[in-house]
C-alpha cells in the first residue's frame, strides 16, 4: 500500500516515516509551511525525505498563520513552559490545522496514485488538540471517502492514534529512527529549549521508553520538575 505521509519533521512523524519505509510502504513526504514560528522543523522533514529516498512536497500555506490568529505557534505569543498536558498548552492550538493539512495530502495522494495517507497523531494529543482524536480521524476518513467517491479510494492510516509518546519512541527505535534528526521544540531556537511542553513531553517519553535521548536541550533537567508538578496537581 503506497502511502503519502504528512510529516512535520518532529519525532512522531519522522518515526512513522521510518516505520513505513521499513515496511516498504512510504512513497512520499508532504510538509506544510503554515507560518509556524518553529519553521526549522521543515528542514528535518526534508532531510528525512532525502534519507529515505522519497519525493518531498513542501506546501506553502504561509499566509494561513495570519488568518488563523491566536496561536502561540503563529502569533507573537509566548510558548508556555511546563508539562504538555497542562491547560496552558491550549494556546498552541492552530484551529483546524490537521484537517487542512490532511485535505491537501489526500489531494496529492489521489493525484499521485497512492493508496493511503498517514499521519502521526497520537493519544497524548487528545487532551489539547481536537483534530488528533479518534472521533476526528474516523469522521475525516469517512468524509474523504465521499470527497473522492468514484475517483480514488484512499485510506487514512493513523497507527499511533491510541499510542503514547513513549510507544512512538519505542516504535521509532525499532525502526532505526535517527532521533537527533528530528525537531520538537515550539520555540524554534538554536537547540531544543527543554522547557516548553513539547520538549518536556519528548524528554519524558524517552525516559518512559527506556531509550537514550540524543537531543541537545538548553535546560536538560527542567522536565523532571515539570513532570513532578503535573503529577502533584493531579493528585
Amino acid at each position: 500500500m503506497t502511502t503519502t505521509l504528512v510529516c512535520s519533521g518532529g519525532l512522531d512523524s519522522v518515526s512513522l516515516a521510518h516505520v513505513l519505509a521499513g515496511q516498504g510502504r512510504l512513497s512520499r513526504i508532504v510538509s506544510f509551511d503554515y507560518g509556524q514560528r518553529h519553521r526549522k522543523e521543515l528542514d528535518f522533514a526534508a532531510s528525512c525525505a532525502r534519507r529515505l529516498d522519497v519525493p518531498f512536497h513542501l506546501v506553502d500555506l504561509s499566509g494561513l498563520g495570519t488568518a488563523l490568529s491566536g496561536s502561540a505557534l503563529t502569533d507573537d505569543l509566548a510558548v508556555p513552559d511546563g508539562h504538555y498536558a497542562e491547560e496552558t498548552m491550549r494556546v498552541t492550538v492552530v484551529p483546524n490545522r490537521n484537517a487542512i493539512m490532511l485535505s491537501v495530502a489526500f489531494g496529492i495522494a489521489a493525484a499521485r496514485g497512492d493508496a493511503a495517507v498517514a499521519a502521526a497523531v497520537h493519544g497524548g494529543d487528545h487532551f489539547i488538540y481536537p483534530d488528533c482524536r479518534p472521533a476526528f480521524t474516523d469522521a475525516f476518513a469517512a468524509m474523504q471517502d465521499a470527497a473522492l467517491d468514484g475517483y480514488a479510494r484512499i485510506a487514512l492510516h493513523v497507527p499511533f492514534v491510541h499510542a503514547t509518546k513513549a510507544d512512538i519512541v519505542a516504535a521509532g527505535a525499532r525502526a532505526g529512527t535517527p532521533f537527533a534528526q528530528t525537531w520538537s521544540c515550539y520555540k524554534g531556537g538554536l537547540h531544543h529549549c527543554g522547557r516548553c511542553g513539547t520538549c518536556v513531553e519528548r524528554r519524558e517519553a524517552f525516559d518512559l521508553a527506556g531509550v537514550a535521548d540524543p537531543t541537545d536541550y538548553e535546560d536538560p533537567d527542567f522536565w523532571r520538575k515539570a513532570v513532578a508538578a503535573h503529577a502533584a496537581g493531579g493528585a
Side-chain angles (χ1 to χ4, degrees):
M1 181 180 288
T2 53
T3 303
T4 293
L5 171 67
V6 176
C7 181
S8 67
L11 185 153
D12 307 329
S13 56
V14 172
S15 291
L16 183 52
H18 279 263
V19 170
L20 292 171
Q23 296 168 348
R25 299 174 57 185
L26 183 67
S27 59
R28 72 194 68 256
I29 284 175
V30 178
S31 297
F32 296 86
D33 179 352
Y34 59 94
Q36 62 269 49
R37 70 197 301 168
H38 57 302
R39 190 186 183 282
K40 66 182 296 178
E41 67 179 357
L42 299 175
D43 295 335
F44 291 84
S47 176
C48 179
R50 289 192 297 270
R51 185 169 58 249
L52 297 176
D53 195 25
V54 296
F56 178 65
H57 305 269
L58 178 59
V59 180
D60 185 1
L61 298 177
S62 54
L64 190 62
T66 302
L68 302 179
S69 58
S71 172
L73 301 193
T74 55
D75 281 4
D76 188 19
L77 300 172
V79 175
D81 294 341
H83 198 280
Y84 193 78
E86 296 291 350
E87 185 70 23
T88 53
M89 284 298 291
R90 287 190 183 275
V91 75
T92 65
V93 172
V94 178
N96 243 32
R97 178 177 59 174
N98 282 349
I100 293 165
M101 293 179 181
L102 283 171
S103 291
V104 175
F106 265 84
I108 292 172
R112 302 296 176 125
D114 286 341
V117 170
V121 296
H122 67 91
D125 286 337
H126 296 174
F127 170 77
I128 301 168
Y129 305 112
D131 56 359
C132 290
R133 298 169 186 163
F136 165 76
T137 55
D138 290 345
F140 191 91
M143 181 273 289
Q144 282 298 150
D145 284 345
L148 293 171
D149 183 38
Y151 182 83
R153 184 74 173 178
I154 300 174
L156 177 58
H157 184 54
V158 284
F160 299 152
V161 72
H162 295 292
T164 67
K165 189 84 166 186
D167 293 333
I168 296 173
V169 170
R174 289 193 296 270
T177 304
F179 294 117
Q181 299 302 312
T182 66
W183 185 266
S184 298
C185 183
Y186 279 164
K187 295 184 181 181
L190 181 61
H191 305 292
H192 283 74
C193 73
R195 299 181 62 90
C196 72
T198 49
C199 281
V200 170
E201 181 197 38
R202 178 185 176 106
R203 184 64 189 87
E204 182 184 19
F206 277 102
D207 184 69
L208 291 173
V211 174
D213 184 355
T215 311
D216 185 7
Y217 298 99
E218 292 180 3
D219 190 341
D221 300 318
F222 175 80
W223 74 279
R224 295 187 184 276
K225 301 173 187 175
V227 169
H230 176 70

